[in-house]
Amino acid sequence: MDQLQMLWKIQKYDQYIEQSEQQVIQLESDEETENLELKIRQTEYDLTNIKTQLELNNVKIQRYNKKLEQLNYNNEEIEKRLYSGNITDLDQLTHMNKENKDKKEEIKKIETELLEIMETLDDLKESVINKEKEYKELKYLLENTKKKNSQEGTEIKSDIVSYKEKREKLLNNLDETLKKKYIKLSKNKGKAVAEVIDNRCTGCHMGIPLSILSKLKKTNKVNYCDNCGRILYYNKKEE
């Protein structure tokens, strides 16, 4: 392999390495993983919120049941006195009848509220089941995505090591002056070697003089673009 072919090959390896390193960065800051983690945090928040509502409603039920128990007891006591025949005072009887009626209305109101809470409780329990299922599915998906990204990242990193070894081997076989020129051009222009396509430099898109084109086609010597200074590469296989 001549010096020009080695330069072209080195540049290909540089491009592979750069693209592969970008792939690794994308995998490590994967948008899909970030979205899944965001969904998991939101699901955790929703689940905590639903469970809190569930606990509050359970506390309400306990409180209402105790209140009902007390109201029923008080009402029974009032009715015992009302129907005992021991109370003959009309005003007192009227007052106790009103109290009995008020207690029954309060009992009815609490029982209605209890029924509503029980219905809400059933909905909340179902929501907890659904959210826990969703949470498990998201966690499973996240673990699999991370595992897949990790495996893919490991493979790409292995390829990068291989590319760098091949690149280094070719660099060491280059003429020292040419090696320094390639490194300097790569640093300053991003791409040191520009392929000639349709008689134009693909680095700056300017036309190549016929004299240089002739040299490129007939020899393997290193030639430079008069406009951008890049090393010119002509693929003779495509002729």
Side-chain angles (χ1 to χ4, degrees):
M1 190 185 299
D2 59 58
Q3 297 280 294
L4 192 55
Q5 287 289 341
M6 280 194 283
L7 284 168
W8 183 246
K9 197 75 174 175
I10 290 166
Q11 182 163 277
K12 285 291 184 185
Y13 284 136
D14 281 339
Q15 290 170 346
Y16 294 153
I17 290 165
E18 184 180 356
Q19 290 167 5
S20 299
E21 286 174 342
Q22 284 300 314
Q23 281 182 291
V24 171
I25 291 169
Q26 287 173 3
L27 285 169
E28 289 176 350
S29 60
D30 181 51
E31 189 176 341
E32 184 182 358
T33 300
E34 289 177 358
N35 287 336
L36 282 170
E37 288 174 340
L38 182 62
K39 285 180 181 178
I40 287 170
R41 287 195 295 272
Q42 183 61 51
T43 306
E44 285 174 338
Y45 173 81
D46 291 343
L47 196 53
T48 301
N49 189 39
I50 295 168
K51 286 181 176 179
T52 301
Q53 290 180 52
L54 202 57
E55 288 172 8
L56 289 172
N57 281 333
N58 278 323
V59 170
K60 276 185 183 179
I61 288 171
Q62 290 174 8
R63 189 170 69 245
Y64 281 162
N65 279 330
K66 285 182 180 179
K67 193 171 182 180
L68 270 178
E69 187 180 345
Q70 186 64 44
L71 283 169
N72 283 320
Y73 173 78
N74 291 342
N75 210 37
E76 285 173 8
E77 289 298 311
I78 291 169
E79 288 179 347
K80 281 179 186 179
R81 292 176 64 195
L82 271 172
Y83 304 122
S84 66
N86 296 326
I87 301 172
T88 56
D89 183 271
L90 186 60
D91 288 340
Q92 189 175 1
L93 282 170
T94 302
H95 176 75
M96 289 181 71
N97 274 320
K98 185 179 182 305
E99 189 177 0
N100 184 35
K101 185 182 176 182
D102 289 344
K103 295 288 183 192
K104 284 181 178 179
E105 285 179 357
E106 191 174 357
I107 287 169
K108 186 179 179 181
K109 183 181 176 183
I110 291 174
E111 285 175 341
T112 302
E113 289 179 358
L114 260 176
L115 186 62
E116 290 174 355
I117 292 171
M118 293 298 290
E119 288 174 354
T120 303
L121 213 60
D122 289 338
D123 291 339
L124 288 170
K125 285 177 181 177
E126 188 177 348
S127 294
V128 168
I129 292 168
N130 292 334
K131 280 293 174 183
E132 285 179 339
K133 183 182 177 183
E134 182 184 349
Y135 178 77
K136 286 178 182 177
E137 288 173 351
L138 286 169
K139 287 286 284 184
Y140 178 78
L141 188 58
L142 178 63
E143 287 170 9
N144 278 358
T145 302
K146 282 184 173 181
K147 186 178 179 181
K148 182 195 74 175
N149 287 351
S150 177
Q151 288 173 345
E152 193 175 338
T154 300
E155 290 171 6
I156 294 171
K157 285 175 184 177
S158 176
D159 289 340
I160 291 171
V161 171
S162 177
Y163 292 150
K164 285 183 176 180
E165 287 175 353
K166 291 175 181 177
R167 176 188 183 277
E168 195 64 27
K169 187 176 179 180
L170 287 175
L171 269 177
N172 291 334
N173 287 328
L174 273 181
D175 174 78
E176 192 62 30
T177 303
L178 197 54
K179 178 180 175 180
K180 289 178 181 178
K181 184 71 175 176
Y182 173 83
I183 293 170
K184 185 178 179 181
L185 281 169
S186 296
K187 183 179 179 181
N188 294 337
K189 298 187 178 289
K191 187 167 73 171
V193 185
E195 187 174 6
V196 175
I197 298 176
D198 295 332
N199 298 339
R200 289 182 177 276
C201 167
T202 54
C204 64
H205 307 291
M206 295 297 290
I208 304 297
L210 291 174
S211 58
I212 296 178
L213 275 174
S214 178
K215 291 178 184 177
L216 288 170
K217 291 178 180 181
K218 293 177 181 179
T219 71
N220 293 323
K221 290 182 179 180
V222 175
N223 289 275
Y224 299 89
C225 175
D226 289 339
N227 184 60
C228 67
R230 289 182 175 89
I231 299 164
L232 296 172
Y233 174 77
Y234 185 84
N235 190 353
K236 296 182 177 67
K237 293 179 182 179
E238 293 185 357
E239 288 185 325

